[in-house]
Amino acid sequence: KRSEPPCVGGWCLPGGFIEMGETAQAGALREFKEETGLVGKILRVIDVASRIDGYWGDVILIGFEVEVTGGELNAGDDAEEARYFPVDNMPEIVFDTHRRMLKVIVGSAYE
């Protein structure tokens, strides 16, 4: 659950920005840990999406499926709350690119 603009109080997937000199995979795992307290390993790329002229300008989103390998679930960084939800009982996800990733990975179960 987001604690920072945009969409304060809305739910989204863990994510963030790649830093200079960082691979997409390393950035994804760093952001995953910063926002959830969990350590993971990447299993696969889910999808790639673009957002043109959004809140942060033009961005490319790369969705990774991550297996949790350690840590303890807790909200960190710019998250107010971190939780797991069953696919058939999820809150509204505020970012369209995140909804797209969920549809790719769980199909019509996420509608």
Side-chain angles (χ1 to χ4, degrees):
K1 189 177 214 182
R2 295 189 55 78
S3 64
E4 301 290 327
C7 305
V8 173
W11 288 96
C12 66
L13 300 175
F17 294 95
I18 300 168
E19 296 181 1
M20 295 297 292
E22 185 175 54
T23 65
Q25 295 86 343
L29 293 174
R30 175 185 50 75
E31 288 285 354
F32 183 66
K33 184 175 183 184
E34 287 176 2
E35 293 191 1
T36 68
L38 299 172
V39 177
K41 72 175 185 178
I42 292 175
L43 299 178
R44 69 181 176 109
V45 172
I46 297 169
D47 199 5
V48 177
S50 298
R51 180 74 169 153
I52 307 300
D53 197 27
Y55 181 84
W56 295 283
D58 299 344
V59 296
I60 296 172
L61 182 94
I62 306 168
F64 293 101
E65 182 179 1
V66 175
E67 177 183 342
V68 175
T69 60
E72 189 171 314
L73 182 64
N74 60 64
D77 198 22
D78 62 355
E80 175 183 322
E81 187 177 346
R83 291 181 48 194
Y84 290 104
F85 292 96
V87 174
D88 62 352
N89 192 25
M90 291 185 66
E92 179 183 351
I93 302 300
V94 294
F95 299 130
D96 60 347
T97 51
H98 292 201
R99 290 191 300 270
R100 174 180 169 166
M101 296 298 161
L102 286 167
K103 285 180 185 176
V104 169
I105 200 161
V106 298
S108 62
Y110 181 75
E111 292 292 343

